Amino acid sequence: MNIVIIGCGVVGAAIAYQLSQVKGLNITVFEKNQPAQGSTAAALGVLMGIISHKTKGKAWQIREESIKRYQTLIPELEAITGRKIPCNRQGLVMLLSEDPAHPLESGVEVMTDWEQLREIRKSQGWQLAVWDKEKLEKFCPQVNNPTVIGAVYSPQDLQLNPTALTLALVDAAQRNGVKFKFGVAVRNHQAPSTDIVQITPHVTEKLKFMETSEGKVEADWFIVTAGLGSTLLTRQLNHKVNIRPVLGQALYLSLGRVLGNPDFQPVITGNDVHLVPMGNGDYWVGATVEFPNNEDEILAKKELLESVKQQAIAFCPDLSEAKILRTWSGLRPRPEGRPAPVIEKLANYSNVILATGHYRNGVLLAPATASIVQNMIMDQGS
């Protein structure tokens, strides 16, 4: 069975590695750039799975499956490839703040909500701890803000390097025989005639080939993991799935000394601002969420990046002494008018699978996405 994967961010690479372990599959991955260049490179790699408020249904299942898989996937890839995947296993501390308008009432409600989630997670076999202000001060003395009333600690959530992870997935997949074609663009597809789409919308076609900058490629299955490039690819197949860009900016700060307890350096997050320890007193701080105009243009706003920095300083005042070593910005793919991600067959095609539009959870959901795609192919094959 010939399988073509279009796009080699973390999701495309995870699917390639997952499928490479199935006998009898001939897999080729096309990527117009180098691996992990798109939204994967614009990710801090903070995996918010157990600490998320999703508790049931598909939204929770794919988070839980991915967190479980990461426990084995990282050592597995490191053993196969000899590559190191930098990973912070000290968990995630989410700061809880009171509503200034209703401090006493909202503070109690906030704590109660998280205590309920802690009990749900306990019943699911996961750990969460709810800390009051004194406990937070004991474990994370660097946090000093009068509006912070406590924190939730998730010891089993991770932070990892998305680029290193993607390159390890590519390396491991190559060792299993997957062919990667970097610098090769997918140009257009053999599209069904317009009258089929209009008159008989429930007819399913089989896509036989696609055009690339290296010529025509035939396959039994085409898997689109092209992030923002998915809009154009699906439009060429007469079934546009609109994936729009959302910009994120982050700062790399160097303080020259470690904040708080040197032996306990979790990711700290508050009000959607992440403080990610990188060792030696260096920290990533991010990320902004900036939406496009109607032409899908986004100009990075300096004042929003400054606001993220000031929020981080408000939580950890010592950061005011840190130097900015560099900044970055990148685009995340967000489906328009529907929840992320999009993991389904493309309408009117029996052999085109979309695994795209993961927005801010591509790294978190990559392992479960790969598993879903494998099941879709195997179920039809059987």
Side-chain angles (χ1 to χ4, degrees):
M1 192 188 288
N2 292 315
I3 294 177
V4 162
I5 299 171
I6 305 160
C8 194
V10 66
V11 173
I15 292 169
Y17 175 62
Q18 176 95 10
L19 294 178
S20 76
Q21 298 168 84
V22 180
K23 286 191 169 61
L25 301 185
N26 179 29
I27 304 159
T28 309
V29 180
F30 291 91
E31 168 56 62
K32 66 180 179 181
N33 301 306
Q34 290 299 305
Q37 296 289 296
S39 53
T40 300
L44 292 175
V46 178
L47 310 186
M48 300 181 74
I50 295 148
I51 209 165
S52 84
H53 277 290
K54 311 288 186 189
T55 58
K56 56 188 178 185
K58 187 180 173 187
W60 163 244
Q61 286 164 5
I62 59 176
R63 278 172 170 76
E64 182 177 41
E65 183 178 345
S66 284
I67 291 289
K68 279 181 179 169
R69 180 65 178 116
Y70 269 122
Q71 293 173 349
T72 57
L73 181 63
I74 293 166
E76 183 180 307
L77 291 171
E78 288 182 336
I80 292 167
T81 65
R83 291 170 174 266
K84 183 82 182 118
I85 301 170
C87 182
N88 184 341
R89 295 185 182 278
Q90 298 203 339
L92 186 65
V93 173
M94 181 179 282
L95 304 178
L96 305 180
S97 298
E98 63 191 17
D99 177 351
H102 311 93
L104 293 173
E105 178 190 336
S106 65
V108 171
E109 285 174 357
V110 166
M111 290 306 226
T112 304
D113 286 348
W114 284 102
E115 283 161 358
Q116 287 171 351
L117 183 64
R118 177 188 64 197
E119 294 310 305
I120 291 169
R121 289 291 183 254
K122 192 175 176 183
S123 72
Q124 293 168 331
W126 299 100
Q127 299 169 40
L128 275 184
V130 181
W131 294 346
D132 59 19
K133 195 158 186 171
E134 288 69 33
K135 208 157 198 181
L136 172 62
E137 202 171 298
K138 177 186 170 187
F139 288 111
C140 300
Q142 68 269 40
V143 176
N144 183 6
N145 182 295
T147 69
V148 173
I149 56 171
V152 180
Y153 177 49
S154 179
Q156 292 158 304
D157 279 322
L158 303 173
Q159 184 273 332
L160 52 78
N161 182 311
T163 301
L165 169 67
T166 305
L167 295 177
L169 287 162
V170 169
D171 189 345
Q174 280 176 323
R175 290 165 192 257
N176 288 343
V178 176
K179 293 186 284 295
F180 286 85
K181 302 269 192 174
F182 297 119
V184 178
V186 176
R187 287 179 168 160
N188 56 33
H189 302 260
Q190 151 240 355
S193 59
T194 315
D195 58 339
I196 290 177
V197 177
Q198 290 175 343
I199 297 167
T200 52
H202 300 299
V203 166
T204 54
E205 292 260 319
K206 194 160 188 185
L207 185 66
K208 296 186 176 65
F209 65 87
M210 64 179 200
E211 296 284 349
T212 75
S213 51
E214 282 193 347
K216 191 183 289 187
V217 176
E218 296 184 359
D220 300 296
W221 286 93
F222 296 90
I223 304 167
V224 179
T225 66
L228 291 166
S230 306
T231 302
L232 179 60
L233 291 173
T234 55
R235 183 192 292 140
Q236 290 169 345
L237 291 171
N238 293 348
H239 286 279
K240 179 178 149 185
V241 174
N242 196 10
I243 309 287
R244 301 192 72 198
V246 177
L247 184 88
Q249 300 184 75
L251 304 139
Y252 192 90
L253 302 179
S254 183
L255 187 60
R257 58 187 167 81
V258 173
L259 287 168
N261 179 355
D263 297 323
F264 184 59
Q265 289 288 297
V267 173
I268 294 176
T269 183
N271 197 24
D272 213 18
V273 172
H274 300 322
L275 180 64
V276 181
M278 299 304 291
N280 303 318
D282 290 357
Y283 296 86
W284 271 116
V285 174
T288 64
V289 178
E290 302 174 52
F291 292 95
N293 60 22
N294 290 334
E295 283 78 47
D296 276 354
E297 296 170 332
I298 317 178
L299 295 174
K301 294 185 173 70
K302 283 184 180 173
E303 63 271 23
L304 291 180
L305 188 59
E306 178 62 24
S307 170
V308 164
K309 179 188 168 193
Q310 292 306 324
Q311 284 186 74
I313 290 170
F315 291 137
C316 300
D318 286 359
L319 283 176
S320 61
E321 302 165 28
K323 292 192 182 80
I324 300 173
L325 293 192
R326 63 183 183 275
T327 63
W328 70 219
S329 67
L331 300 173
R332 287 83 62 109
R334 180 174 178 264
E336 183 78 1
R338 58 179 296 177
V342 179
I343 311 172
E344 63 192 26
K345 283 190 186 164
L346 183 62
N348 283 53
Y349 288 96
S350 61
N351 67 330
V352 179
I353 294 174
L354 303 177
T356 188
H358 287 71
Y359 190 27
R360 300 175 77 188
N361 287 312
V363 183
L364 170 62
L365 301 180
T369 301
S371 179
I372 293 167
V373 169
Q374 179 182 334
N375 290 338
M376 288 167 83
I377 291 172
M378 294 302 134
D379 288 350
Q380 189 154 315
S382 59

